[in-house]
């Protein structure tokens, strides 16, 4: 699964640590999600979506369909 | 260092200290118990002490694990699965060697330390997969 987490975070000028604090996870988890080594759980994906004010499918792409903008 | 510390949230100093005390109590009780007849009251009491000590360690570990985030928990569980498999295979494998004539090994006493060591080693490798 690919995602736009790094781009969204960078656009807001947040560090991985800042985003981790906002999502109440560790910085390692944010890094693993950004590098595609870990797919977040559904509750965490929802928290990410709410934080950035975007639908989940516009942030995460499972490769089965085009990512919505 | 804070990064590494966050992975070891479940190994807080207090918990580590308690686990070491419990391990010491268990090993000491095992050696002291040999002075008493099997089935005697002191020996049974020492066995109960060992079981309670180990039980509190497991409880403490579960409580600490609940404070981890989802990725950290996954890493710990994958490491635990490896430790479980390796220890189980070791016990079973050694059983075959015992039947073939090798000396008996006290897995009741050393099974848990063995699992803990494998867990720690597995943790290092599993963590790397997510870095």
């Amino acid at each position: 699964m690919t995602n736009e987490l790094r781009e969204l975070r960078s656009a807001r000028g947040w560090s991985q640590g800042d985003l981790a604090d906002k999502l109440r996870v560790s910085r390692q988890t944010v890094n693993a999600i950004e590098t595609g080594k870990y797919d977040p759980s559904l509750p965490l994906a929802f928290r990410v979506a709410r934080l950035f004010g975007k639908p989940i499918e516009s942030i995460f792409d499972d490769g089965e369909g085009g990512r919505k903008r | 260092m804070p990064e590494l510390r966050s992975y070891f949230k479940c190994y807080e100093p207090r918990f580590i200290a308690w686990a070491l005390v419990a391990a010491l109590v268990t090993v000491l009780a095992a050696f002291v118990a040999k002075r008493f007849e099997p089935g005697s009251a002191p020996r049974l009491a020492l066995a109960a002490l060992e079981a309670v000590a180990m039980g509190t360690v497991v409880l403490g570990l579960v409580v600490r694990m609940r404070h981890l985030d989802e990725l950290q928990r996954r890493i710990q569980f994958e490491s635990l699965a490896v430790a479980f498999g390796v220890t189980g295979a070791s016990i079973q494998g050694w059983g075959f060697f015992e039947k073939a004539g090798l000396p008996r090994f006290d897995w009741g006493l050393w099974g848990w330390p063995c699992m803990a060591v494998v867990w720690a080693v597995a943790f290092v490798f599993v963590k790397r997969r997510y870095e």
Side-chain angles (χ1 to χ4, degrees), chain A residues 21-39:
Chain A
D21 288 343
K22 292 176 197 300
L23 293 172
R24 301 189 307 280
V25 295
S26 65
R27 194 199 61 77
Q28 292 77 15
T29 299
V30 170
N31 183 60
I33 294 170
E34 284 187 357
T35 53
K37 291 187 174 170
Y38 174 67
D39 295 332

Side-chain angles (χ1 to χ4, degrees), chain B residues 4 16 30 34 40 45 50 53 55 69 86-88 94 98 107 128:
Chain B
L4 191 63
I16 291 175
K34 286 180 180 172
S40 64
E50 291 175 87
D69 77 19
V86 169
T87 308
W94 190 257
E98 274 182 13
W107 283 107
R128 278 189 193 163

